Amino acid sequence: MLASLSLILLCQLIGEAVVRGLGLPLPGPVLGLLLLLILLLARDRFALLARGPLRNDGVETASKGLLAHLSLLFVPAAVGVVQKLDLLASHGVAIIVILAASVVVTLLVTVLTFRLVSRLLRQQDVP
């Protein structure tokens, strides 16, 4: 499990290094996850790659272990919020208004995107 966890973190490190080195407008962990996905897809296609942490669903087991303890990753964020309670108290109303507005905008964009894609798919189905 340690080797599989190390592979996951290595992919994240490579993604972060590539993003910072090339100045890409993309989060490094996202690129690392894409690299891990490509590696796992290649493992399933080519049996030669199914060695070490990539064999016997090792990466999947390590990732399930991480997901099982995902709530622990929110502890530092909660501590940060508690440390900034004075800012939250002074700008709380503005923060709530912005959060509410962003939720409404997100929902509207999601609905409009769904309707657009639905129309496009309907047009493709009609002969």
Side-chain angles (χ1 to χ4, degrees):
M1 176 138 169
L2 187 60
S4 300
L5 184 59
S6 297
L7 179 66
I8 293 170
L9 293 174
L10 180 66
C11 286
Q12 181 177 354
L13 176 66
I14 292 170
E16 193 71 42
V18 169
V19 164
R20 288 183 187 229
L22 297 177
L24 298 174
L26 180 74
V30 172
L31 188 61
L33 278 174
L34 288 175
L35 175 65
L36 184 63
L37 174 66
I38 291 168
L39 191 61
L40 290 173
L41 290 173
R43 175 205 61 186
D44 292 342
R45 181 163 282 230
F46 306 109
L48 181 66
L49 291 174
R51 296 181 180 196
L54 288 174
R55 72 173 189 275
N56 297 335
D57 294 333
V59 173
E60 288 85 347
T61 304
S63 63
K64 286 179 184 174
L66 280 174
L67 288 174
H69 302 291
L70 187 64
S71 61
L72 290 176
L73 299 176
F74 291 102
V75 171
V79 170
V81 168
V82 169
Q83 286 180 341
K84 300 294 182 180
L85 281 178
D86 56 334
L87 279 173
L88 192 58
S90 63
H91 301 292
V93 175
I95 292 172
I96 290 172
V97 168
I98 295 297
L99 284 174
S102 67
V103 166
V104 170
V105 168
T106 301
L107 287 172
L108 288 174
V109 168
T110 303
V111 167
L112 293 174
T113 303
F114 177 78
R115 291 186 66 183
L116 177 68
V117 170
S118 177
R119 282 186 192 153
L120 290 173
L121 289 176
R122 254 189 270 131
Q123 288 177 356
Q124 285 181 346
D125 289 342
V126 177

